[in-house]
Amino acid sequence: MRREAALSAAVIAVIFTAPGRLPAVAQGAAAPSAGVAPIAPALLAVKVVEENGVPGVPQALTEKPGDPQAGAKVAVDRRLGNCLGCHQISALGNEQFHGEVGPSLDGAATRWTVPQLRMIVVDPKKIFSDETVMPSFYRVGGPGRVRPEFQGKPILTAQQVEDLVAFLAAQK
Amino acid sequence: MWCGGAIAQDALEHPDWQGKGFAPNVPDHPLREIISGLAFRTHETKAMQSDDFNNPGFLAVEEGAALWSKVDGAAGKSCASCHQEAVQSMKGVRASMPKWDEKQKKPVNLEQRINICRSENMKAEPWKFGSPELTAMTTYVGHQSRGTPVSVRTDGPMKPWFDRGRQLFYDRVGQLDMSCANCHEKNYGKFLRADFVSQGQTNGFPTYRLQTQRLVPLHERFQGCMFDVRADPYKPLSDEFLALELYIAWRGLGLPVETPAVRN
């Protein structure tokens, strides 16, 4: 757990993909640890831009545009986004068991811009508050006692984030 | 409630948990209402728990009863050699666990108390955590407190353990970065996908879980929750889980012991 503690702040992991290069994080690159360069070369901070006082991530995390259908799978899959764990989404009406912890995501794209949706998926604490129950899906570091197989990895890959953002952007 | 037309959510029963609790009678308690996990379960589960002949947890009660009078260890004693009838001697014991142990200089829970008795008085091998024997005995002894309100001490030497337990309850852990409180304080009474979230009270443990079809001791349940948020769980009977057990028992002060409870 000292590994996380060694990070002065939560590192927001982003891979600026060279064409054809797999995201290093998704392949399981080790978390930065004390005594080693704090940020591995493939991990760079996401560029957060505030617009009208609301933070957003305007730049896509991958060159390949997000695929809303793949994003729907990310929203459903319990091992990936599991958005249905907490939210209701009418577009996924064929799926059983929609959670009630967060608001319905119907019309999400009418309430948030695409950069804001991307910010919410990457690190919702930046938009809501540190108190939000919602996990940060594209961040490493910060939380303690991460199970060894998940250490240094964000919940979603860059492509999965983009696919999910594309799906959310279609919820009008 | 949101209406989703085709979504099968409507088929899920929303248990009628509201108004099934009571106001805590200590100051600065984090819950407005203390509610047993039983209130968050379906009619079927409630019915199964309330009928001793249908409650599968009673198999362990019977196993425990048999072990109670079984001689084991170099001292040639059984539990009954010193404690006679558990119905009288063990009444209320579980409701005040974990309890400070002056000799160990730490709080001990029921599993540990049983094993201390085995090694010190019976000169028998302690049972492994999670073994059918230890869980059965914990269930049998626990059951003798059924209906007794939970009443743990949190003052004196217990205070630092209580404080540590509270910290652990609110610590966010794992890749999903969640604390106990995120679900069991802020979001009980809601569906988390197909799971209806309770307050995470401990008055029913060991608990017969329908998912696993066996009795689950409390620290195994703690581990399961931590594992699910992708955290590295603490070890059963560790100081951390002892502290957490104490703190969560306090969150449920006054709840009647239900051992063996039935849960999903």
Side-chain angles (χ1 to χ4, degrees), chain B residues 54-210:
Chain B
N54 274 328
N55 180 341
F58 273 81
L59 289 172
V61 173
E62 284 165 28
E63 285 165 27
L67 289 167
W68 182 261
S69 49
K70 192 179 163 196
V71 172
D72 196 7
K77 289 179 182 173
S78 72
C79 307
S81 307
C82 298
H83 299 289
Q84 287 85 37
E85 294 294 326
V87 177
Q88 281 98 43
S89 63
M90 293 296 118
K91 191 173 167 51
V93 167
R94 185 246 184 255
S96 58
M97 302 296 259
K99 206 173 199 172
W100 183 255
D101 185 292
E102 197 47 50
K103 211 164 158 185
Q104 313 277 328
K105 297 276 177 223
K106 56 183 287 235
V108 295
N109 72 359
L110 192 48
E111 279 104 333
Q112 289 169 320
R113 185 73 254 160
I114 290 166
N115 271 337
I116 290 168
C117 224
R118 283 181 62 79
S119 18
E120 292 188 0
N121 301 325
M122 296 169 71
K123 309 290 177 205
E125 280 292 302
W127 282 318
K128 279 206 178 75
F129 177 85
S131 64
E133 291 85 359
L134 185 56
T135 303
M137 185 58 76
T138 307
T139 306
Y140 178 63
V141 174
H143 178 61
Q144 309 311 322
S145 298
R146 188 162 66 164
T148 307
V150 169
S151 63
V152 284
R153 295 284 298 264
T154 57
D155 54 350
M158 295 292 264
K159 184 67 169 47
W161 291 80
F162 175 81
D163 290 343
R164 174 79 176 121
R166 179 171 49 203
Q167 187 204 340
L168 288 165
F169 191 85
Y170 291 100
D171 264 0
R172 296 182 77 136
V173 293
Q175 193 195 42
L176 302 197
D177 190 20
M178 289 170 77
S179 69
C180 310
N182 280 149
C183 290
H184 298 294
E185 181 170 303
K186 303 285 183 201
N187 286 299
Y188 61 83
K190 295 175 189 170
F191 272 104
L192 186 66
R193 206 110 188 206
D195 294 326
F196 200 63
V197 182
S198 75
Q199 290 185 340
Q201 298 289 0
T202 56
N203 55 312
F205 281 89
T207 285
Y208 185 87
R209 293 200 78 199
L210 299 165

Side-chain angles (χ1 to χ4, degrees), chain A residues 76 78-79 82 84-85 88 93 97-101 125 130 132 135 139 143-145 147 150 153-155, chain B residues 1-2 7-9 12 14 172-177 182 187 190-194 227 230-234:
Chain A
V76 170
R78 285 171 164 81
R79 292 177 181 278
N82 192 19
L84 290 182
Q88 297 129 19
F97 309 136
H98 294 214
E100 303 170 336
V101 170
K125 281 127 190 134
D130 284 340
T132 182
R139 189 182 74 168
R145 291 197 74 84
R147 241 159 75 195
F150 296 112
K153 298 174 195 176
I155 300 169
Chain B
M1 160 109 201
W2 149 100
I7 296 179
Q9 189 78 23
L12 285 174
H14 271 75
R172 296 182 77 136
V173 293
Q175 193 195 42
L176 302 197
D177 190 20
N182 280 149
N187 286 299
K190 295 175 189 170
F191 272 104
L192 186 66
R193 206 110 188 206
F227 189 87
R230 300 183 174 181
D232 191 14
Y234 297 105

Side-chain angles (χ1 to χ4, degrees), chain A residues 17-22 63:
Chain A
T17 43
R21 196 171 134 208
L22 285 169
E63 287 182 357

Side-chain angles (χ1 to χ4, degrees), chain B residues 5 44 69 76 164 211 224 259:
Chain B
E44 292 76 12
S69 49
R164 174 79 176 121
Q211 275 179 24
T259 310

